[in-house]
Structure formats: C-alpha cells, structure tokens
Amino acid sequence: MLHRPLLLENLRKELSAHLRVSTRSGPMASDFKAFESTAILTVHKQKIQDLVCWDSRLLAALDDGTLLVIGRQEATESPEGRPWQVHRILKGFGKKYLLNLQVVRTRTALLSASDEGINLHTLPRLQLTAQATRTRGANCFAWDESKGMLAAACRKRVQLLQYDGRDFLEVRELGMSDIPLTMKWAGDSLAIGFKRECYLVHSISGTATEIIATGRLGRPHILSLPSAELLVGHDNVSSFVGHDGKQLHKKSLSWSEPPSAVVYTEPYIIAQLSHSLQARLASSRIMAQELCQNLDIPGATALTVSSQVNGSVFVACQAGTQSSIHHLVAVPLDQQAEALADLGDFLSALELACLLPESQAGVRHKLEEALRVRYGYHLFASDDINQGMAQIGISASASPLVLLNLLPSLTPPSVLEPLELLLEDMVAECKLPEVQEPTGDAYQAAVSAILPYLIGHRSRLQAFEAPGSPRKMQSKQGFSQFELQHQGSADEQGHPVISDGNDSLTDMESPAGSLQSHQLSPSQSVLQASTYMSGMEEKDRSHLSTLVDTAIIKAMLLMDDTGSLLRFVQRPNSVDLAEGCHILRSAGRYSELVALLQQHAQYDQALDLLRNLSQDPSRLEVPPRGAAADLKGLPGVWSAAKMLAAIGPKQLDVLWHHARWILKADPDHGLAMLLEMRPSLAPEVVVQMLNAFAPAFCAQYLETAMDEGIAKEQDFQTELAMIYLRLALDGGQQHPDAGQQGSSNHRADTPGQSMAHQRLKTMILTGKFVDHGRLLRVVPTTSLLEIRALLLERLGRHHEALRIYVHQLDSPLLAEEYCDRLYEAKINGLKANLQPMPDTWAGVEPEASYDMYIALMQVYLEADSRGYPDRSASASGASTSQSWERVCQLLSRKQDRIEPLKALSLLPGEVPLHVVLPFVKSSLRTLGEQKRTLAVVKGLSRAQDLESREKLTVCKKRNVLLSFERACAFCHKRIGNTAFTLQLIHHPNIACIGVSGLGAHSPEALLESYCPVQRSMSSLLQEGRAQQISLWRVDCKCSALKLGYFCVVFYAVEEHACINCRQSLVCFKSAFLPSDHVP
Amino acid sequence: MAARKRTLLKVIILGDSGVGKTSLMNQYVNKKFSSQYKATIGADFLTKEVQVEDRSVTMQIWDTAGQERFQSLGVAFYRGADCCVLVYDVNAQKTFENLETWRDEFLIQANPNDPDNFPFVVLGNKVDFEGGKNRQVVEKRAKQWCAQKGGIPYFETSAKEDINVDAAFQCIAKNALKNETEEEMYIPDTVDMNAQSAPKRRTGCC
C-alpha cells in the first residue's frame, strides 16, 4: 500500500518533468542554502552524546560522562568573530556516561540523564541540587516546564515526578509494554516513541492511544512544535500530529532516510541523518517538500537550537575518532527567497517570502512583487504564457512596461524610448532575465494573452487620471492595498481583511441618490491598486498610456478581426499617432486608420484617406483590409460626409478642401452633411461652397435651411429667388425655341426648370423679403415675361406690367385678372381697415389702384399710337378697332369699377358712339343707383345719431347729492359743514379737460394746470367763460391726498366725481354755492 | 523536481450593464460598496487568495464591461477561464433573459474543452433593492433555468448589503478548482486506474 502512491508520484514526476523539461535550466533547488555551516570546535576522541544551549554557552555531554562548557573567547574585539573554546571540563559529571541534557530555563538549572539517573544541577555553577529517585538507568526523559513535571523512562515504566523547587516527588508510575525510546510532553499526555509505534499516553489516566505505526527502520523521533503540534517520525516520514493524537495535515515531511533526531527552527525542521543534515520547511501553508537543503555534515550525533542567536543550530558530529561542533546560521529569509528564485524555484521563493514576519511587511511586499514578476517571466519563457501573465498581473507594482518587455515587437522603439530608463530600472530591480520573444503560434498565443492585461492596465491608467480618482490617496492606498492582499492571503479562512484606507472622495457630481458616495466608486479600478502609477511622473504616465495604447492596436491587429480594433480607435485613446498610422497603414486597415486620425483630430488626413478609399482605392499601396474594403465608392463618401458633419464648422479649411469631392460623388449626402452640422454652418459659406461645387443643390439647401431656421429669410430669400431664376433661365437657354414663347411654353421644360419657375413665381408673390428691384435687373426682357410682369407688379410699376400682359404676352385676360387682383386687394384692404398694405405694395399709390382699369385702357389705347413690335403696322386699322372693342368690353364688364368721366375722357374722339353707348348707359344707371343708396344711408345714419344722443342724455341724468352726512372716501371723516371749504376756480381750457376725461389727469397735473389760472381767475370770469364749466376744489383735509379733491361741475348736467376714486362725491348746483364764492 | 499544482484560477464575470458585476467583486475583495454607478471601461481584473478545501489558490477575477460596445474584446478575455459567473439583476427581467445569451456567447468565445460541464455560477443580484418590492424574477424561475442548464449553482446576492457574496465566491472558487482538477486527473488516470479520487500530494523530492 505504501508503494503504490509513490509509484504514481514518480510517474507523475517523470511526466511533468518531461513536460517542463525546458523550464528548469538552472541548478536544482538542492543547491539552495537555508543555513550556512561553520565548524567551531573540535573535540578529540569522545563522542558528543547531547548538546544544549544555555545563555551564550553550549553544554556538551560526552559519552564518557564528561560535560563540556563551551563559549566564545573573551577579551577580543569583535564579539561575533570570537572563536569558540572549551571553558570548563567537568569530568565525571555522569559517572559512566551522559545521555541527555535539558536546560530548565525558569530555574536556570540543567537536567541530565546519566547512569546515576536524572540529576538537576544549578547553572552556571553546575552544582547538584536534586536527584530524581528511581530513575537510575533512565534512557530518556521529558520535562514539562510549565507544570514542573518530569517524566523519566526507565526500562518498561515511566516515572512521573513533580519538582517542588527542592526535590522531585514521585507522582505516578506508568507501565509500558515496551521500552520508550523517546518521549515528549503533549499537554497532559506524553507522546512516547517505541521501537515500532508511537503512543499518546495520558499522564493521569494512563490510557494509551496509538498515534502512528512507526516503521522497522531506525528510532522514532518526536518533536514538540510551538504551534501545539507534534512532529512524529516513522521511518523516513515525519507527520504533523495534534495533541489529541490526530494527524493534522494530509501532508508530511519525508526524509531521504529515517532521521535519528529532528529540531525545529522557524521555519525549518532540521533532521539528523546518518550522513548529512536535511532542512525542510515546516510550513503548513502548502506543500513545500521540494524545498530542502542537504547539509553535508556526516555522523551527526546531537543537535540543538540556540535560544540566543536567532534560529541558529549547533550540531555535534563524529567523524572517525574526532568529534566536532558545527554552527548553522540561518540565511535571512529574503535572501533565501532570492536564492530560490535564482535557482528557478519561484513557488518556494514566494512561500518563503510569505513567511517574513509582519515587522518586515515592507520588505516582504517588495520581495513578493518582484518574485511574482520574475516568476511570470520564468513561466513565460517556459511557454506557460497565460500563467506567466497572471503572475505578473498579481504584482501591483508591475507596470505594463514589464509585460511589454516580454513582447518587444508590440512596442515601437520610438514610443518606448522615453520610458527606457524606467524599464531598465525595473529590469534591474526585479533581476528580470532576457526572455526570447516567442515566434509562430506561441507568439500569437502570447499576444492574445497579453491583450487583456494591457486593457486592464489601460483601464487603471484611465481611472487614475480621471477627475475624482483618488490620486493623492494612491501612495497610502497602495500600501493598504498590499496589506489587504497579503493579510488576506495569510488568512487561512480566506476571509479578506477589511482595510479602510480606501475611503476617498469621488466626483462631487454624484447623483443625490447615491447613499455612499463618499466611498470609492466601484469602477475606479483601484480594485487592485497598481502602485507603479503613483510613483511615476505625470509625463511618464502619459508616455506609458501612449505605449500601452499603441501596443494594444498592434496586438489587436495580430488577432482575428472582430471589430474590436475599430471600436478601440474610435474611442478616445492615447495611441502614438505616427506609429499608429504606420502600423495601420501597412496592415491595410484603413477604416481603423481613419478612425484613429479622426480621434486625433487629423481630419484632413483622414478625409484624404477616405477620398482615396472611396474614389481610387487602387492607388493605395496596401490593399484595404477589414472594414476598409467596404469603403470603396459611396460608403466611403458617406463616411467622409458623416465625419465632416461631426467635425462641424470649426474646421472650415478642411471642409472647403473636401466638400468638393464629397458633393461631386454624392450630392445628396453632401447636402445632408452641410445641413446636419451642429452648430450649423454659416449659410453664406454653404451657398458659396455650393455655388462653387454643386450649383444645382443651392436652391435645395436654401429651402431646407430656411425651413429649419438655419438661414434667415430676410437674408436669403432674394438669393434663393435669384437661384430659381437662374435655374428657370438655364432651361430657356437649353430650349431656345421655347424661350420666346412666353410662359405657357415653360410647361414643356424639364421638370426641374418648370419647378424652379413655379417656385420663383410663388416666391415673388409671397416672399416677404424678396428684393424685386434686384431681380428685375437680371430678368431678361425677352424671356420669362410673366416673371417680369410679376416683378413689375410688386414694384408698383403697373403700367409696365400691363404692357407686358397686353402687348408682349397678348393676353388681355391675364391683364384684366391683374387689374381685378389689385382692385380687390385695395378694396379689401380698405374694408377690413387693415394695417397698411404689405411693404411690397407700398409702391402702389391708392389712387392708381382705383384706376387700374383706366391704366389698362390707356395701355390698350397705346397700341394704336405707338404700336409694338409684335403687332403688324399694316393691320393698324384692324387693331385699332380691335383695341376699341377691347376697351369697350372692358368698360362694360367693369363699369362699376371705372369712373365713367375719366374713362370717357381717355377715349379718342374717333371712337364710334355705339361702341361706348352701353357703357355710358349702364354708368348713368349705376350712378343714379348709388346716389339713392347714399341718401338712404344718410337718413339711417342720422337716425342712429339721434338715438345715440338720446341714450347719452339718459345716461347723464345721474344726479348725486352731497349731504353733510357723507363721509370722505379716504379718511372716512364726515364731511360736515366745516370740513371743507369750497373755492371756485376757473380754468381756461376747462372745456377740453372735461370732455377728454378729467379722471385721466392726476390731481397734481390738474393743479398745475389751473393754479396759474387761479391767479387770473377774476379776469377769466369777467370774460364770461366761467359760465360754462367750473372746477371745484374740495378740501377735506384728507391726508391721503395732499391736494384735496377736485370736482368738475357741469352747470348743465351737474355730475361730479372724485377724480381719484371715481365716486360721485359732490353735486353742487350753482344755487348751493355760498354767494360770496360765486363771482 | 515535481510539478506543483497550479494555484491560479481565472474567473470571468458576465452580465448586462448595470447588474452589479463590479460591485460584487468590490464587495467580495475590498468589502466596499458604492451605489454610484460608473460603467466599466474595457475590463479589469483583481486577484485574491482563497482557501478552498485545504488549498490556497489565487483567484483572478476578470470584470468585463457589460456594455455592448466592449464585447467584441471577449475572446481575449474569456480564453482559459476556469469558471464563468453570470450575473443578473432580480429587479430587471431583461437582464435575466439575457443570461442565455451571455452563456452562449461565453461558450462560443472561450470554447472550453467540455462545454456541457464547464462550471458556471449564476448570481441574482440586488435582492435588497426596495425590500424586494420591485422584484421581477422569482427565485424559483432562476433556479429552474439553472437546473435546465445542467445544475448551475445559483445564489441570490446583494453587493450593497453583502448578502451571500462570500458564499457565492467560495462556490465559484470551488467549482473553478473542480474544473481544473478534472483536467489534471486525466493524465494519471491513464497510468493507474487505482489513483485515488482526491489528488495525492506530491511527496517527491529533489
């Protein structure tokens, strides 16, 4: 049963050794030194049976019973370097032999087992003070210092003796089945090793429990460990056993041969073997069996741990006839760890580092971090790339430089250059080896493994730089973080230790709902503090960001294209622009390149590239790959348009540069781009641009821009009209045969032109801000007559407009409609009593509009006198009669709108009467009708007037009396008969005030207006004006009104109201007035 | 020289944006919670030593961004994972429904050797929210789903109140380790059919 697992282990070992053959290239861990050994003393001939340390001295028991007291020589300069010497030789300390020694520290005494039994001697004088009875021939003993209990094994019994300070008193005797070979106290029990097994025997009850079956080889050994554990040896294996006899760990230590004795000096257990000493870690954290030092000290007979010199061990050995004592000094743990790391055993090194005491936390942390990185490098070099990265990742102080150093091809030299010193420092500090960059598949794997870590570092760098991140806390926090990590790791239960060094301020803008906003925000990525950042200068950090980001794009390029690279460069990044461009360009990843350039505000370059991609991809040196392959043709244009729209108007030169090809390639998107820009682009610029590159889209732009309010109508309506005009004209030029034929022929034009024509018409008719004069100057005289007529109409040049309708367009119908339109507009305007006509109608004089028909007549008649090019002169007679006819038709149709006398006077004498007769007749009839109608209206008005007057009279009949019982409206004081005095005053303009409403004036104003008059009142009265209306001042001493009240007295109507409160206050008929006041 | 057992476990946390992935991690490791939400940019990881069945292992927990625009980085992150933690918000039905997508996505991207037995753990987070009044996914339903998917362990957690967080991560570590152990056991099994089920501690020496 014992051998099968071993066999399995061997097989496994072989297998894994085979798998990892390349990993262990350095010397084996057996070369590792936990202790340095020096021979300090040679004793001739005798064998040293036992050795103990007391104070700074060594006590050695020789097999002939002699006790040696060994110490350092005195009176030499350096205390450490002093050689050791034998101070005293006590022959016959034991009569025949001495077996074991033990120092009783609390009583500074020495217990020794000799042929005489177990004796107690004082120290340092070595005088016998007590003897344990019945212990003669004891072959081993165990001393429990806390209880003062001695257990001595003599043959098949164990004697328990209590030491009371003077003597040993027998307590109990326990019978054994075999002779105990070794014995240790374990609580109340004794662990006793026999030849074939170990038992735990309770010291009171005597019950025995088997701990473990020891083997057939050698002596058993039992070691009491400070952690209330026993290390029990059986054959060549030592197991950890609790005081209850149960095996504690599944693990055990195995030695190359059964040890004859073991000692513990933290953290090692040293076993005494026949040809050497072996030191192994006693750590119970994880298996550390491999960690073993063989100390070549053959024939060891005794070993003891120094209580003074920390951790050092003294060994006695016998070689031939000569015995010697060696001093083993522990190498400091950190040095051991370093040495192990140098040997390539990083796990052991890390374990040792963990064992560094809390007092050396700083050293431990630093060591551990460096070891992780070294281990990572080591694993990486051994093709265990993922594990390697993970190890480096655990180290909080490892900057991305350390990672990237493994894959130098990811870091362009120019980007790395500013950080090279830092890297060198780091390499030197962690003693990082040169690692060959992997090739082929391994390289691919390495890149894909490094990428997440780079992104992780990136997140941390960003979080560190982000506002509100605990940058200032970082140094402190770094420490607490590492503590956290390591306390956590030391904690057996895996319970993390709460650290409160993390509280820090976060954004002040945190939502009000956040209950614990004082705490660290979860995503600030100081989850695992990367301590390297706080130690770096800001400049270096930014270099580092650049390096990381550049490496990320290089790494992503090497991976399958999942679109992540594109997304990466589309977001804000610190990629080195020159390098990034070079890398992406040479990979043909133009889409990513464009995004990168855009992200770095290199719009011109980005757009140039897009132009090449969309218009002429064959000119690119490297064929487009990835998303860029789809950018040929329109998609490229769309991308460019989108980019320009996003850039907005701040980069006008770039816009000017690229608008041309975009507008050319896809005017619709180009136009949308110009319209979508926010803040919107100045319409002047757009119009200029469109006029230059895509004139056909100018109108469309302006229409949309005005609709959306980007362009103001007052600024661009004329511009738009001009554009319509141009468009309409372009059609005219393209179809010369249609051009001269007037408006009807335009219908046959291309849809664009007819649309432009229509829009121009609408614009002229309805546009509020069209500059008609300007348009008129550019409208040709030969084409677009209708437009011209419209313009003239809007300018109020009706004669000219009518001429065009009548003579050039030969369309009396239109001319008449024109007149009707104007007439009705005018009439409607008057009727509705609207505001003055719209601005554009301002040129139309009111009289002229009434006489539009007269004007039309004049135009008709002009044809005779002047003749027009399109009228044949020979047919003048016919035309004359024709125009008369027209005039008369007009007259009869519109007789109600034409002033007959004016019309008649216009008609030339040769017009036959019969032609005019119908008009005259109907005119007379109409006039008579009008006269009668007006008479009726007049009568009605008069009746209305009278009615109104009557109503007014009724209304004015109100008559309020002021009696002495009434109170003042303001001070509520009864007016009484003495409360006020009346003063008759007179105002020259009193009639005016009275009519326009006295209440509208403030008392002050009124006073000012009458006061000057008051002085000349009598003269006014004499003039007789006072008989009509008088103004009264009512002085009621009201404090609210300094000036008192004013009342107006109409002699005729007798109505008075306080001008302030409107309450009728006083009504004095003249008869009431005291006579002395009446003039 | 015997090879030692690997002591590093890679764990991936997945789930919709805002379900509390980062908070859970932060609570587990730093015992800290902030209700202020900040979307994770890209990804980050954290390591923690855990004791699992007498073994000390280092757990490397990768917290990825739940927002879609970062997801295409998935392959790089998922590779070599030992356990995948799926997180949803019990107060948001949609985040539960998306678990399926996250699981599939993970299996496709990570491409583990034995997808049927790859260890997942599902966490229903934010159970404390408003005393559970607005809860949209009942525990039974979540458990049903987990059972359908081959008995995925399920935990109801609250990163804010630190409910069940330790237990969940302990289970995560255990399952991750199980996954790893099974892989390693493959080699000795071919050599010795009597190999004990518990991995034998290596006792070889130099």
Side-chain angles (χ1 to χ4, degrees), chain A residues 924-937:
Chain A
L924 283 172
R925 202 164 41 239
T926 312
L927 283 174
E929 223 167 78
Q930 275 177 0
K931 201 175 171 184
R932 282 193 296 276
T933 313
L934 286 174
V936 171
V937 169

PDB file of all heavy atoms in Angstrom, chain A residues 924-937:
ATOM      1  N   LEU A 924     -74.627 105.571 -66.167  1.00  0.00           N
ATOM      2  CA  LEU A 924     -75.615 106.511 -65.640  1.00  0.00           C
ATOM      3  C   LEU A 924     -76.535 105.811 -64.651  1.00  0.00           C
ATOM      4  O   LEU A 924     -76.836 106.316 -63.582  1.00  0.00           O
ATOM      5  CB  LEU A 924     -76.421 107.113 -66.800  1.00  0.00           C
ATOM      6  CG  LEU A 924     -75.679 108.194 -67.573  1.00  0.00           C
ATOM      7  CD1 LEU A 924     -76.447 108.602 -68.810  1.00  0.00           C
ATOM      8  CD2 LEU A 924     -75.458 109.415 -66.669  1.00  0.00           C
ATOM      9  N   ARG A 925     -76.945 104.634 -65.112  1.00  0.00           N
ATOM     10  CA  ARG A 925     -77.840 103.873 -64.259  1.00  0.00           C
ATOM     11  C   ARG A 925     -77.168 103.588 -62.908  1.00  0.00           C
ATOM     12  O   ARG A 925     -77.727 103.811 -61.854  1.00  0.00           O
ATOM     13  CB  ARG A 925     -78.197 102.562 -64.949  1.00  0.00           C
ATOM     14  CG  ARG A 925     -79.491 101.970 -64.429  1.00  0.00           C
ATOM     15  CD  ARG A 925     -80.044 100.904 -65.335  1.00  0.00           C
ATOM     16  NE  ARG A 925     -79.065 100.003 -65.879  1.00  0.00           N
ATOM     17  CZ  ARG A 925     -78.847  99.828 -67.183  1.00  0.00           C
ATOM     18  NH1 ARG A 925     -79.542 100.506 -68.080  1.00  0.00           N
ATOM     19  NH2 ARG A 925     -77.940  98.973 -67.602  1.00  0.00           N
ATOM     20  N   THR A 926     -75.994 103.182 -62.965  1.00  0.00           N
ATOM     21  CA  THR A 926     -75.270 102.836 -61.743  1.00  0.00           C
ATOM     22  C   THR A 926     -75.147 104.047 -60.841  1.00  0.00           C
ATOM     23  O   THR A 926     -75.341 103.955 -59.623  1.00  0.00           O
ATOM     24  CB  THR A 926     -73.871 102.326 -62.100  1.00  0.00           C
ATOM     25  OG1 THR A 926     -73.992 101.375 -63.130  1.00  0.00           O
ATOM     26  CG2 THR A 926     -73.176 101.713 -60.896  1.00  0.00           C
ATOM     27  N   LEU A 927     -74.787 105.178 -61.438  1.00  0.00           N
ATOM     28  CA  LEU A 927     -74.591 106.384 -60.637  1.00  0.00           C
ATOM     29  C   LEU A 927     -75.856 106.774 -59.909  1.00  0.00           C
ATOM     30  O   LEU A 927     -75.858 107.121 -58.727  1.00  0.00           O
ATOM     31  CB  LEU A 927     -74.123 107.529 -61.526  1.00  0.00           C
ATOM     32  CG  LEU A 927     -72.644 107.425 -61.906  1.00  0.00           C
ATOM     33  CD1 LEU A 927     -72.265 108.499 -62.911  1.00  0.00           C
ATOM     34  CD2 LEU A 927     -71.756 107.551 -60.671  1.00  0.00           C
ATOM     35  N   GLY A 928     -76.979 106.730 -60.652  1.00  0.00           N
ATOM     36  CA  GLY A 928     -78.258 107.061 -60.025  1.00  0.00           C
ATOM     37  C   GLY A 928     -78.525 106.135 -58.845  1.00  0.00           C
ATOM     38  O   GLY A 928     -78.923 106.563 -57.764  1.00  0.00           O
ATOM     39  N   GLU A 929     -78.270 104.893 -59.122  1.00  0.00           N
ATOM     40  CA  GLU A 929     -78.485 103.899 -58.064  1.00  0.00           C
ATOM     41  C   GLU A 929     -77.674 104.242 -56.823  1.00  0.00           C
ATOM     42  O   GLU A 929     -78.169 104.236 -55.704  1.00  0.00           O
ATOM     43  CB  GLU A 929     -78.001 102.554 -58.591  1.00  0.00           C
ATOM     44  CG  GLU A 929     -78.908 101.396 -58.265  1.00  0.00           C
ATOM     45  CD  GLU A 929     -78.515 100.181 -59.078  1.00  0.00           C
ATOM     46  OE1 GLU A 929     -77.507  99.529 -58.701  1.00  0.00           O
ATOM     47  OE2 GLU A 929     -79.172  99.910 -60.112  1.00  0.00           O
ATOM     48  N   GLN A 930     -76.428 104.582 -57.096  1.00  0.00           N
ATOM     49  CA  GLN A 930     -75.521 104.898 -55.989  1.00  0.00           C
ATOM     50  C   GLN A 930     -76.043 106.085 -55.203  1.00  0.00           C
ATOM     51  O   GLN A 930     -76.025 106.098 -53.967  1.00  0.00           O
ATOM     52  CB  GLN A 930     -74.129 105.224 -56.513  1.00  0.00           C
ATOM     53  CG  GLN A 930     -73.283 103.992 -56.729  1.00  0.00           C
ATOM     54  CD  GLN A 930     -71.925 104.322 -57.323  1.00  0.00           C
ATOM     55  OE1 GLN A 930     -71.624 105.493 -57.580  1.00  0.00           O
ATOM     56  NE2 GLN A 930     -71.148 103.280 -57.557  1.00  0.00           N
ATOM     57  N   LYS A 931     -76.517 107.085 -55.903  1.00  0.00           N
ATOM     58  CA  LYS A 931     -76.987 108.302 -55.241  1.00  0.00           C
ATOM     59  C   LYS A 931     -78.131 107.996 -54.300  1.00  0.00           C
ATOM     60  O   LYS A 931     -78.151 108.427 -53.145  1.00  0.00           O
ATOM     61  CB  LYS A 931     -77.439 109.317 -56.304  1.00  0.00           C
ATOM     62  CG  LYS A 931     -77.462 110.733 -55.781  1.00  0.00           C
ATOM     63  CD  LYS A 931     -77.803 111.693 -56.900  1.00  0.00           C
ATOM     64  CE  LYS A 931     -78.041 113.079 -56.330  1.00  0.00           C
ATOM     65  NZ  LYS A 931     -78.465 113.997 -57.429  1.00  0.00           N
ATOM     66  N   ARG A 932     -79.052 107.193 -54.798  1.00  0.00           N
ATOM     67  CA  ARG A 932     -80.199 106.839 -53.969  1.00  0.00           C
ATOM     68  C   ARG A 932     -79.748 106.045 -52.757  1.00  0.00           C
ATOM     69  O   ARG A 932     -80.161 106.310 -51.634  1.00  0.00           O
ATOM     70  CB  ARG A 932     -81.201 106.019 -54.793  1.00  0.00           C
ATOM     71  CG  ARG A 932     -82.045 106.866 -55.720  1.00  0.00           C
ATOM     72  CD  ARG A 932     -83.210 106.070 -56.257  1.00  0.00           C
ATOM     73  NE  ARG A 932     -82.786 104.944 -57.092  1.00  0.00           N
ATOM     74  CZ  ARG A 932     -82.491 105.067 -58.387  1.00  0.00           C
ATOM     75  NH1 ARG A 932     -82.566 106.252 -59.004  1.00  0.00           N
ATOM     76  NH2 ARG A 932     -82.124 104.009 -59.080  1.00  0.00           N
ATOM     77  N   THR A 933     -78.909 105.136 -53.005  1.00  0.00           N
ATOM     78  CA  THR A 933     -78.427 104.322 -51.888  1.00  0.00           C
ATOM     79  C   THR A 933     -77.812 105.197 -50.816  1.00  0.00           C
ATOM     80  O   THR A 933     -78.086 105.033 -49.618  1.00  0.00           O
ATOM     81  CB  THR A 933     -77.364 103.328 -52.384  1.00  0.00           C
ATOM     82  OG1 THR A 933     -77.858 102.709 -53.552  1.00  0.00           O
ATOM     83  CG2 THR A 933     -77.027 102.302 -51.329  1.00  0.00           C
ATOM     84  N   LEU A 934     -77.020 106.164 -51.272  1.00  0.00           N
ATOM     85  CA  LEU A 934     -76.329 107.028 -50.320  1.00  0.00           C
ATOM     86  C   LEU A 934     -77.318 107.849 -49.511  1.00  0.00           C
ATOM     87  O   LEU A 934     -77.133 108.079 -48.311  1.00  0.00           O
ATOM     88  CB  LEU A 934     -75.357 107.950 -51.045  1.00  0.00           C
ATOM     89  CG  LEU A 934     -74.101 107.228 -51.538  1.00  0.00           C
ATOM     90  CD1 LEU A 934     -73.237 108.152 -52.378  1.00  0.00           C
ATOM     91  CD2 LEU A 934     -73.299 106.690 -50.364  1.00  0.00           C
ATOM     92  N   ALA A 935     -78.382 108.283 -50.177  1.00  0.00           N
ATOM     93  CA  ALA A 935     -79.390 109.083 -49.461  1.00  0.00           C
ATOM     94  C   ALA A 935     -80.007 108.258 -48.348  1.00  0.00           C
ATOM     95  O   ALA A 935     -80.188 108.718 -47.216  1.00  0.00           O
ATOM     96  CB  ALA A 935     -80.467 109.546 -50.454  1.00  0.00           C
ATOM     97  N   VAL A 936     -80.291 107.028 -48.682  1.00  0.00           N
ATOM     98  CA  VAL A 936     -80.877 106.157 -47.656  1.00  0.00           C
ATOM     99  C   VAL A 936     -79.902 106.002 -46.499  1.00  0.00           C
ATOM    100  O   VAL A 936     -80.265 106.106 -45.322  1.00  0.00           O
ATOM    101  CB  VAL A 936     -81.211 104.774 -48.274  1.00  0.00           C
ATOM    102  CG1 VAL A 936     -81.603 103.774 -47.189  1.00  0.00           C
ATOM    103  CG2 VAL A 936     -82.325 104.926 -49.288  1.00  0.00           C
ATOM    104  N   VAL A 937     -78.643 105.779 -46.848  1.00  0.00           N
ATOM    105  CA  VAL A 937     -77.630 105.591 -45.822  1.00  0.00           C
ATOM    106  C   VAL A 937     -77.555 106.811 -44.921  1.00  0.00           C
ATOM    107  O   VAL A 937     -77.468 106.697 -43.694  1.00  0.00           O
ATOM    108  CB  VAL A 937     -76.265 105.298 -46.478  1.00  0.00           C
ATOM    109  CG1 VAL A 937     -75.143 105.377 -45.447  1.00  0.00           C
ATOM    110  CG2 VAL A 937     -76.270 103.959 -47.149  1.00  0.00           C
TER     111      VAL A 937
END
